[in-house]
Every structure is written in structure tokens, then in C-alpha cells.
Amino acid sequence: MTTSRPGTGERPPGERGDLLDERCPTRQLLDRIGTKWTSMTVKVLAEETPGEVRFAELRRRIPGISQKMLSTTLQSLVRDGLATRRVESTVPPAVHYGLTELGLSLERPLAALRDWAETHMPEIDRNNQAADGSSAD
Amino acid sequence: MTTSRPGTGERPPGERGDLLDERCPTRQLLDRIGTKWTSMTVKVLAEETPGEVRFAELRRRIPGISQKMLSTTLQSLVRDGLATRRVESTVPPAVHYGLTELGLSLERPLAALRDWAETHMPEIDRNNQAADGSSAD
DNA sequence: CCGCATCCAGGAGGATACTG
DNA sequence: CAGTATCCTCCTGGATGCGG
């Protein structure tokens, strides 16, 4: 595979007769940021913007990510034009990643979502526990 | 299965040695709104708020969704406290769904994301096509 | 009308090992 | 150090059919 990205279905144009909004931009965006590591990667890159972060440094700052997923995620971001990739062709190669303007602009609504999450997820957790307890007990 | 929700992994506590922050609120939120139908369902419900929408009506307004997924998605929303469920115990039962305050509050950052998507997804699409064309040709 | 149960395919993503 | 390839597992979610 040469052009596959993690969360994207590569939908061929005109396969359906009606437009189902699977093409709707929001769905496409969620297919991207909904993948497990994308939003966190964007966040870490955003923290260093306008600076850059090396591959290994990213790995360190995203606990639990594998090289494969970090690599795949970064490829998606670069391909989407959300991140930049700069290779230093030294003997042990050093690759630096950064956010583009586009990527940085995505960080804003993403931060709003994060903010909502931090404010309200505890309540959602409590709601779930309440739902658990009321049928069981 | 009794308590499964679409996008949630229901991670048993202590199955891993050291949990990474899969527990971080943003991840949990994205696990929810990242599921295929959640955001659209919230959107449709939000459009009718403070009114309610019946099950069949929701199905009609979310093209392509199956009853199973609509049912599952709604259960998640209700369980999370984002939506309400009201049953009219008539002979053919009628079930009405609505958004809670919490659900409505989520709609705002979600709308911001939608706005970003509609503005910038075309650019992302172009970036992808450019990436396709440059290695081929 | 509403929803659940079952079956099933496809894809995300983790572990590991190997290249430049 | 940075990345690729392979294998494998689990989960999402689509199709269908039954039950209240």
C-alpha cells in the first residue's frame, strides 16, 4: 500500500446515486481526528508550534503509541497538509515535524472540544455509573 | 452483551500493567463522537431542541443509518446523559428522543468543528490529490 | 413501531522484526 | 534514529430476522 491513511475510506467518487452525507465534511474530519492518535499528535505538535518536534521526541510525548501508528498518523497529517516533515540527511537521520497554518487552525476547535471534554466528561462518567447502578443494584 | 456502547472500549480496569492516558477525557469524548453516527444524531436532535424526534423520524433524517445503529447510538447518548428518551405506551409504541442540556452544550463545540470542516476540508482534499499526483504521473 | 439478537466482513491498530 | 512490512486480534457497524 502506498497511499493508505488510518481513518480514511478513500471513497470513489460517484459510487452512490444519492448523496448520502458520508461525504459531508464533518464526517470526513471526524474520520481523521477520531482515529486513536491523531488528536493527541496534533496537540503535541501544536504545543511546540512554531517549533518542530523529532520523531523520537513525539514518541516519548505520546505515551503508548507504537512507531507504526506514529508513522502512519504523521503521514496522514502531512498528506492532509496539517503537518510538515523536514528531513535532516545526517548519518543517523533526523526527521522534524511541525504544524502548518492549517493544522494550527484545526487546533482551535479541537481545543474547544478538549475544554468541553475536561469540563463535562466527569458528568458523563457519573451518568454512566448511574445507568449501571439502577438496573443492577 | 448488556452494557455495550458503540464507540467505547469498556476497558476493564487493571488489565494492562500501566495504563496510558486512554482515560483522558478528550480521548473518551472522541471515542463517542468519532463513532459513525453519533455526531449526526446529535445534530439532528439539536435542530429540534427543545422539541423531540421520534425514532422513525430520526431514521428518515439520518440517511443510511440502520435501526441497529440508530438504536445503539441513541442508547449511548441516553446513557451518557446527552439525550432523553420518552416512551408513549400506546399500542404501537411511540418513542421520542430529545437532547438534554448537556447534549445541547456539546452541540456548540461540535458546531465549531463542523464549521471548520466545511471551511477547510476542501483544502485538505486538494492536499491529498496533490500528494497523489506528485508521486504518480 | 420500536428494538434486540445473531451473523459476518472490513478495518484500526498493537507486537514484532527487519532495512537504510 | 526513522520507518516499513507482516501478522494477528478486536471492534465497528452492516444485513437480516424475531419479539413485545
Side-chain angles (χ1 to χ4, degrees):
Chain A
M1 59 167 175
T2 11
T3 57
S4 76
R5 296 189 311 282
T8 322
E10 210 78 26
R11 183 161 301 281
E15 77 165 5
R16 279 180 167 277
D18 274 310
L19 62 129
L20 237 279
D21 328 68
E22 318 236 351
R23 259 90 152 267
C24 100
T26 307
R27 243 297 17 95
Q28 293 185 217
L29 178 61
L30 285 172
D31 280 344
R32 285 168 167 79
I33 65 174
T35 55
K36 193 166 189 181
W37 302 106
T38 304
S39 57
M40 175 163 291
T41 305
V42 169
K43 185 192 173 197
V44 172
L45 288 174
E47 285 167 357
E48 292 306 309
T49 302
E52 291 173 317
V53 191
R54 292 186 58 180
F55 188 88
E57 170 72 10
L58 277 167
R59 261 193 95 179
R60 242 171 286 128
R61 292 176 59 174
I62 306 176
I65 198 171
S66 60
Q67 348 61 323
K68 176 189 151 186
M69 286 319 295
L70 179 55
S71 194
T72 309
T73 302
L74 287 168
Q75 281 174 31
S76 306
L77 292 176
V78 171
R79 190 183 161 84
D80 285 342
L82 296 169
T84 57
R85 182 189 138 110
R86 185 171 62 85
V87 183
E88 262 179 62
S89 305
T90 53
V91 178
V95 186
H96 304 260
Y97 292 90
L99 273 195
T100 62
E101 280 301 315
L102 187 60
L104 198 58
S105 78
L106 173 59
E107 236 294 295
R108 284 155 207 151
L110 219 47
L113 214 63
R114 253 186 249 123
D115 193 57
W116 190 95
E118 284 173 21
T119 307
H120 297 289
M121 279 307 300
E123 184 174 351
I124 290 193
D125 277 346
R126 281 194 303 275
N127 291 335
N128 276 283
Q129 289 163 19
D132 279 343
S134 53
S135 49
D137 174 42
Chain B
M1 59 168 172
T2 12
T3 55
S4 77
R5 296 188 310 281
T8 322
E10 208 77 26
R11 183 160 299 282
E15 89 164 354
R16 279 180 163 275
D18 55 339
L19 54 121
L20 35 132
D21 37 8
E22 322 231 351
R23 266 45 178 291
C24 104
T26 306
R27 241 299 17 92
Q28 293 186 217
L29 178 61
L30 284 172
D31 281 343
R32 286 168 166 77
I33 66 175
T35 55
K36 194 165 188 182
W37 303 105
T38 304
S39 58
M40 174 162 290
T41 305
V42 169
K43 185 192 174 194
V44 172
L45 289 174
E47 285 166 358
E48 292 306 310
T49 302
E52 290 174 318
V53 191
R54 290 186 59 180
F55 189 88
E57 169 72 9
L58 276 167
R59 260 193 95 177
R60 243 171 286 126
R61 293 177 55 175
I62 305 176
I65 198 171
S66 60
Q67 355 59 319
K68 177 189 151 186
M69 285 320 294
L70 180 54
S71 194
T72 310
T73 303
L74 287 168
Q75 281 174 32
S76 306
L77 293 176
V78 170
R79 190 184 161 83
D80 285 342
L82 296 169
T84 57
R85 182 189 138 112
R86 184 172 62 86
V87 183
E88 261 179 63
S89 304
T90 54
V91 178
V95 186
H96 303 260
Y97 292 91
L99 272 196
T100 60
E101 281 300 317
L102 186 61
L104 198 58
S105 78
L106 174 58
E107 236 293 296
R108 284 155 207 150
L110 220 46
L113 215 61
R114 255 186 247 120
D115 193 56
W116 190 94
E118 284 173 21
T119 307
H120 296 289
M121 279 307 299
E123 184 174 350
I124 289 191
D125 277 347
R126 281 195 302 276
N127 290 336
N128 275 282
Q129 290 163 19
D132 278 344
S134 54
S135 47
D137 176 42

